[in-house]
Amino acid sequence: MIVALIIACEVGFWVLLARGLTARYLLRWRRTGMALLLCEPVLELVLFAATAVDLRNGAEPGWEHGLAALYIGFTVGYGHYTVGRLDAHAAHRLAGAPRPEKPPRHGLARARYEGGLWLRTLVASCVSLALLQAAILYVGDPSAAEPLRSWQGTTLRIAGIHGLIALSYLLFPKKVPAGSARPDEERTQAGR
C-alpha cells in the first residue's frame, strides 16, 4: 500500500505541477494556478499520515516505510526548487518572461551552484533522518526497526556522495575553454 501511495504522490506532484502551470500561464488563472501549486505539500502530508497509520496499525516496518521517509525528505529539499525552475521556464515559454538563467558551467560559480544543490540534499537528508528516527522510536523494537536503520545509512551515503561531488567542483574547477567568454561574462550571456 505504501509503495502505491509513493507512486501516486509522485504522479500527483507532476500532475498538480502541470495543471498549476497550465492554469497560470495558458488560461491566465493566476490564483487558481497558485492554489494548485500550493496543494503539492498536501501530498507529502498524506504520505506521512498514511505511513504513520500503517505503522500504528501494527505493520512490520519495511523498506517501503524508509522509502516514504526518503521521498518526503527529498521533496522538502528539492520540491520548491523544482517548482521554481519549471515555473520560470513556463513563464518564459508561455508568458514572454525572460529566459531563466542556466547554471554556470565553469569555475567558482559552478562550485557555488553545486554547493547550493548539496545544501538542498543536506536538508533533504536531515528531514529523512528525522522521520526515520521518529519511526524507529515509534516502533520501539530495535530488531523490527532494522529496515529503517538501513535507510538511515542510505540517506547518509547519499548526502556524503553528493558532498564529495560538490567538493570536486571546488577542488578541480572546470576551466573555461580557450576563446570562450570569461566566467563573469558567461553568466551574463546565459541570461540572454
Side-chain angles (χ1 to χ4, degrees):
M1 174 183 105
I2 298 297
V3 174
L5 191 55
I6 292 170
I7 293 169
C9 284
E10 182 66 14
V11 170
F13 175 84
W14 292 105
V15 167
L16 278 174
L17 183 60
R19 288 189 175 181
L21 294 176
T22 299
R24 197 167 176 182
Y25 295 111
L26 289 180
L27 302 175
R28 306 275 191 245
W29 299 344
R30 299 263 182 223
R31 288 184 184 174
T32 303
M34 183 58 75
L36 286 168
L37 293 175
L38 290 174
C39 285
E40 291 190 356
V42 173
L43 297 172
E44 281 63 48
L45 294 175
V46 168
L47 179 60
F48 176 74
T51 304
V53 167
D54 193 40
L55 289 172
R56 187 190 69 199
N57 289 340
E60 190 72 26
W63 64 271
E64 62 275 7
H65 298 102
L67 182 62
L70 199 66
Y71 177 82
I72 291 170
F74 276 80
T75 301
V76 169
Y78 281 94
H80 181 72
Y81 173 78
T82 303
V83 170
R85 293 284 297 167
L86 292 175
D87 184 54
H89 283 285
H92 167 67
R93 297 220 181 254
L94 304 173
R99 179 183 298 267
E101 258 189 47
K102 291 182 180 180
R105 296 185 310 186
H106 306 99
L108 189 57
R110 179 60 185 224
R112 259 190 243 112
Y113 174 78
E114 292 295 331
L117 290 180
W118 178 72
L119 289 176
R120 291 182 185 287
T121 299
L122 198 58
V123 167
S125 297
C126 288
V127 170
S128 297
L129 289 169
L131 291 174
L132 288 165
Q133 189 60 39
I136 289 168
L137 294 173
Y138 185 70
V139 169
D141 180 10
S143 63
E146 192 54 41
L148 301 175
R149 286 195 204 299
S150 173
W151 277 101
Q152 284 182 320
T154 300
T155 303
L156 290 171
R157 280 191 297 278
I158 289 170
I161 290 169
H162 192 184
L164 290 174
I165 292 169
L167 184 61
S168 74
Y169 281 94
L170 181 62
L171 297 177
F172 310 106
K174 188 175 178 184
K175 305 282 188 238
V176 177
S180 180
R182 292 191 333 253
D184 55 339
E185 291 174 357
E186 179 183 317
R187 278 185 92 41
T188 307
Q189 291 175 354
R192 289 185 192 156

